[in-house]
Amino acid sequence: MRPQNIIEKKRDGKALSDAEIASFIDGVCTGAWEDYQITALVMAMFINGLTTNEQNVITREMLHSGKVMDFSDIDAPKADKHSTGGVGDKTSLIIAPLAASCGIAVPMISGRGLGHTGGTLDKLESIKGYNVNLSTERFRHVVKSCGFAMTGQTESIAPADKKIYALRDATATVPYIPLIVASIMSKKLAEGLDALILDVKTGLGAFMSRFEDSVKLAEALVMTGKEFGVRTEAVITSMDQPLGQFVGNSHEVYECVKILRNEMSETARETLDLSMDLTARMLVLTGLADDASEARNILRAKHESGEALERFRANIALQGGDPSVCDNPEKLIERDLVVLDLRAESGGYVSAIDALKVGEVVVSLGGGRLKASDDIDPCVGYECVAKIGDSVNEGDILGRVSCRTLDQAAQAEAALRKAYSISSSRAESPALIRDSVG
Ligand code: URA
């Protein structure tokens, strides 16, 4: 089939046949389609839309453009969690060991941070030696040995998506739900899962800031998961302020280790609460618990006994990292940094913390990247000392910036000031879980 005929058909608003979509994805992988032809078709899809069947066929073809893992030799339910990305969103580091300690196998393929949102792989790499580029065989070995493994998308996982996503990113065609669904689900379905929990963020710091769009994305993701025989549930969660205590790679790992050690500060509690909620849903979906209340009791016991921490320690060792951070999390924090306290200029209640602005500040300090090839500084970060709903007096600490130079600190302070609103009337802490689709 000639690419121009397929492009022409979608340009004219017609639905593509299964064979035409298969030919397109095949052409992406073999190089038979030029980049300009791929982007022309994707733009036509973006403008003229895709039917549910087209969306499912694109997902299927992108999934089968690479390897689909088979963990049938592991006698445990396989499940994973995927988040659409947020600021301070570090729950994977709690959920994976927690779920593994309950008997779930978690083969987690994660991403790097881009723009204001962080990425699990960058966070993990702030543990000295931790390897996020596992071969398929090593990945399988680590999952078998400690119940979970965390690695990056290899060339063999949904290669068509890798190519198309890079072109979408460069041609303003990312924000279209059917393409997002096909992209996310082709990678997640390649993990050979029985169950999948999706954390769709909503609010200023989210990929989809409008609640209605987040619900639509959640519904489409769940429908696709089910279509492919995976028990799937989505939760729409708030990104109206950064999640938990810290933003920034090594600081976020520190927060997670402290949580797993039962030593967390109050500002980190929502990180644990969200992790518990999402893992509880995994337990129910995989049949390891009858309902949310039973699941929570199991999880509380695994957390409090330190079993989840021991899983994390075993995983770090298997992936080449320094497991002693589990005994001494302070090792994760670089001490040779400029630390600046952001103080309230007036008293009242914290009524908003713009997560997008906070994420952008951490990127500007070097803690994130604007383009995929940028290097990052894992040590810089921001601590949210006060959260929405807290009452503060003039001069109280709202947050703490850790960076490399005094200039950076001054610029960060000015930008962060704009992220906070302080009101004289009481403000409620926003509900963490806004909705669920299952
Ligand atoms: N994340 C993905 O992996 N794909 C998209 O299309 C959007 C976000």
Side-chain angles (χ1 to χ4, degrees), residues 82 84 161 165 168 174 176 179-181 183-184 187 207:
H82 174 80
T84 56
D161 171 66
Y165 186 61
R168 284 169 59 214
V174 169
Y176 177 51
L179 293 175
I180 297 170
V181 169
S183 169
I184 292 175
K187 289 173 288 214
F207 171 60

Side-chain angles (χ1 to χ4, degrees), residues 412-427:
E413 182 183 15
L416 284 164
R417 218 162 262 304
K418 296 196 190 115
Y420 282 79
S421 304
I422 312 273
S423 69
S424 53
S425 52
R426 182 175 280 285

Side-chain angles (χ1 to χ4, degrees), residues 64-140:
H64 293 293
S65 69
K67 249 192 219 158
V68 179
M69 293 191 202
D70 176 10
F71 289 107
S72 53
D73 56 328
I74 299 181
D75 186 21
K78 288 84 186 166
D80 193 10
K81 181 268 324 182
H82 174 80
S83 159
T84 56
V87 178
D89 179 19
K90 65 222 30 114
T91 61
S92 293
L93 275 59
I94 310 273
I95 291 171
L98 202 47
S101 71
C102 299
I104 297 177
V106 187
M108 192 177 271
I109 295 174
S110 301
R112 296 201 176 273
L114 190 59
H116 69 281
T117 61
T120 300
L121 301 181
D122 297 322
K123 298 181 215 284
L124 288 167
E125 279 182 345
S126 58
I127 302 172
K128 198 162 166 278
Y130 196 101
N131 178 12
V132 295
N133 298 308
L134 303 180
S135 66
T136 309
E137 271 328 295
R138 186 72 197 164
F139 186 56
R140 177 183 295 280

Side-chain angles (χ1 to χ4, degrees), residues 139-276:
F139 186 56
R140 177 183 295 280
H141 173 74
V142 178
V143 175
K144 271 189 176 172
S145 306
C146 71
F148 76 97
M150 299 195 265
T151 193
Q153 185 186 358
T154 61
E155 291 305 319
S156 62
I157 301 291
D161 171 66
K162 202 168 187 177
K163 170 97 197 180
I164 295 171
Y165 186 61
L167 292 170
R168 284 169 59 214
D169 195 35
T171 55
T173 45
V174 169
Y176 177 51
I177 286 178
L179 293 175
I180 297 170
V181 169
S183 169
I184 292 175
M185 295 306 280
S186 62
K187 289 173 288 214
K188 285 288 132 185
L189 294 168
E191 293 176 355
L193 303 174
D194 301 307
L196 175 64
I197 295 291
L198 297 147
D199 178 2
V200 178
K201 302 286 182 196
T202 194
L204 281 178
F207 171 60
M208 291 262 159
S209 56
R210 283 170 18 133
F211 180 69
E212 307 77 65
D213 293 335
S214 305
V215 172
K216 276 189 203 145
L217 176 59
E219 286 170 347
L221 289 165
V222 169
M223 188 190 72
T224 307
K226 290 183 175 171
E227 177 74 26
F228 283 80
V230 176
R231 277 163 265 155
T232 310
E233 197 176 325
V235 185
I236 294 124
T237 69
S238 164
M239 199 23 77
D240 291 317
Q241 63 179 336
L243 181 70
Q245 186 179 5
F246 288 104
V247 183
N249 296 292
S250 62
H251 287 84
E252 292 186 40
V253 179
Y254 172 83
E255 177 177 340
C256 291
V257 175
K258 294 291 271 185
I259 289 172
L260 290 169
R261 287 174 59 83
N262 278 301
E263 293 170 352
M264 68 186 181
S265 76
E266 233 357 80
T267 40
R269 179 162 297 284
E270 61 184 12
T271 303
L272 176 62
D273 287 349
L274 181 56
S275 305
M276 285 282 200

